Amino acid sequence: MSITENLNKIKSTVPENITLVAVSKTKPVSNLMEAYEAGQRVFGENKIQEMTEKWQTMPKDIQWHMIGHVQTNKVKFMAEYVSLIHGVDSLRLLEEINKQALKYNRVIDCLLQIHIAEEETKFGLDEPELKEILNSEALKNLNNIQIVGLMGMATFTENQSQIKKEFQNLKSIFDNYKKLKSENSNLKFLSIGMSGDYQLAIECGSNMVRIGSSIFGSR
C-alpha cells in the first residue's frame, strides 16, 4: 500500500479529537510530501539536524514535533520553528528551551516525559520529579515555554496487559496533575501510543499518537 493509503487507513481508526503525529525520521522529503499532499500537517522527527533540513525545504504550514531525546546544546537549532518538544525530562532542559525561544520571541510548547516502562534504557521523570518541576519557583520564571502535557513510552514487549497497565498509570498521573494549572503549565495532551499499540493507548486516554512505520513502512 502507498503512504497515502496507509495514512487514510490509520486516520479512519483515529478519532478526530486525537492528534496524529506522522513519525517521519530517516524518511526522505518525497515520502513526507506524499503524506503532506494527503492532508498530514504534523510530523515527528528524532534528530534536530534532519528535522531542520526538512523544515527548510518543506511547506511552512507544517507543525514539527521533536520526539527524540534532546541535548541542551542542540535546542538552539530548532528554537526558531519547532511546534512541540515531546521528551523534556529536566528543569535544566526547560530553562535552555526558554532561553532559545526568547531569542525568537516565541513560546515553545513542551511535554514532560514520564518514565513508565520497566526498562532502564528509557528516559523520563518519576512522579516526585514531575511534582517538583510543576511546583517549582524556577518554572514560574520561564515565560517562553508552556508545559502542555505529558508523554511516555511503554516497555517494548508483546505483553498487552503490561503495556495497558503502564498507559493507565500515566493517564492517572496526567489526571492528577491536570488540575495544577498555572501561567506556563496547562496539561492538555497525553502523548502515548505508537504504530503497534496506538489503539490501546487511545482506549487508555491518549489524545496524541506517534505513528511511523504503519504510515511510511519499516525503516
Side-chain angles (χ1 to χ4, degrees):
M1 278 168 66
S2 70
I3 290 168
T4 302
E5 289 166 331
N6 289 342
L7 188 59
N8 288 338
K9 185 180 173 190
I10 285 162
K11 279 183 174 173
S12 72
T13 66
V14 173
E16 275 186 19
N17 62 320
I18 290 168
T19 302
L20 169 62
V21 182
V23 178
S24 49
K25 59 186 185 182
T26 76
K27 296 299 180 183
V29 166
S30 57
N31 284 13
L32 277 72
M33 282 307 299
E34 186 178 339
Y36 178 88
E37 307 270 314
Q40 183 63 23
R41 292 295 181 273
V42 184
F43 291 88
E45 294 281 331
N46 73 338
K47 290 198 168 57
I48 293 171
Q49 186 181 348
E50 183 184 341
M51 181 169 73
T52 301
E53 287 167 3
K54 289 172 177 174
W55 166 70
Q56 287 166 341
T57 59
M58 290 183 67
K60 292 300 175 268
D61 61 337
I62 290 172
Q63 288 183 36
W64 293 99
H65 288 202
M66 178 61 192
I67 59 168
H69 184 65
V70 178
Q71 296 170 290
T72 49
N73 63 342
K74 299 278 179 69
V75 173
K76 57 181 180 257
F77 299 114
M78 62 176 172
E80 183 180 353
Y81 67 88
V82 70
S83 292
L84 181 64
I85 301 175
H86 283 234
V88 179
D89 60 358
S90 71
L91 183 59
R92 183 169 158 258
L93 181 53
L94 283 172
E95 288 170 340
E96 181 62 23
I97 295 166
N98 186 77
K99 176 182 157 188
Q100 299 300 335
L102 181 60
K103 293 178 182 177
Y104 294 98
N105 196 27
R106 298 186 68 216
V107 174
I108 295 179
D109 288 344
C110 301
L111 303 179
L112 294 178
Q113 181 168 358
I114 310 302
H115 189 285
I116 54 170
E118 289 185 6
E119 300 158 354
E120 287 302 313
T121 53
K122 300 278 194 297
F123 296 99
L125 305 159
D126 60 25
E127 197 173 346
E129 290 168 328
L130 169 68
K131 186 176 183 180
E132 191 181 334
I133 287 177
L134 290 178
N135 288 315
S136 70
E137 280 300 311
L139 182 65
K140 293 173 186 170
N141 299 318
L142 304 182
N143 298 318
N144 290 79
I145 59 112
Q146 174 93 349
I147 296 172
V148 295
L150 305 179
M151 73 84 78
M153 294 172 72
T155 303
F156 188 69
T157 175
E158 295 293 315
N159 184 340
Q160 293 295 299
S161 61
Q162 183 179 343
I163 294 169
K164 185 174 185 180
K165 185 181 76 179
E166 291 168 359
F167 284 164
Q168 286 174 331
N169 175 32
L170 184 51
K171 175 65 162 73
S172 138
I173 294 170
F174 176 75
D175 288 342
N176 286 342
Y177 288 90
K178 205 174 172 181
K179 299 177 277 236
L180 274 181
K181 287 195 171 96
S182 70
E183 274 186 29
N184 43 14
S185 152
N186 180 14
L187 304 188
K188 298 179 287 189
F189 297 110
L190 181 60
S191 173
I192 48 172
M194 301 191 284
S195 286
D197 55 25
Y198 75 92
Q199 285 171 310
L200 179 59
I202 290 169
E203 283 170 32
C204 293
S206 172
N207 59 8
M208 183 176 282
V209 292
R210 313 178 299 267
I211 300 178
S213 54
S214 296
I215 297 172
F216 296 106
S218 55
R219 285 179 183 82

